[in-house]
Amino acid sequence: EITADDAYTWSAGKIIFGSGTWFAPVEVAGRRYEPGQVNNVYIFPGMSYGAICCEAQTIPELLFMRAAEAVANSLNEDDIK
């Protein structure tokens, strides 16, 4: 997993960063960025609940990809700035 500092620095702040790990705020070129911790908040609780409710034996990787895409697609223009 890339660190928030590396992601923001290497992209000159042009990244939408979400991680499963908490990272401290990062400052790049005078702008402060607050790294998001998204999968533990949005994806895993719902995925786990769904698996329990339908008594799933496995969870295909594709479901995690679709969930990650849904989180990314939920951003608005202010989130991207």
Side-chain angles (χ1 to χ4, degrees), residues 34-62:
E34 300 277 342
Q37 188 175 353
V38 297
N39 67 340
N40 294 333
V41 175
Y42 296 111
I43 296 175
F44 288 129
M47 193 72 69
S48 298
Y49 181 68
I52 290 168
C53 287
C54 72
E55 299 178 6
Q57 298 297 310
T58 62
I59 303 173
E61 188 173 322
L62 180 61

Side-chain angles (χ1 to χ4, degrees), residues 42-43 62-75:
Y42 296 111
I43 296 175
L62 180 61
L63 290 180
F64 287 100
M65 287 301 299
R66 294 293 188 251
E69 290 169 358
V71 169
N73 289 329
S74 73
L75 299 173

Side-chain angles (χ1 to χ4, degrees), residues 9-32:
T9 300
W10 294 345
S11 70
K14 298 182 188 310
I15 189 168
I16 297 171
F17 183 84
S19 176
T21 307
W22 179 86
F23 287 100
V26 176
E27 188 170 318
V28 175
R31 183 168 177 194
R32 180 183 168 102

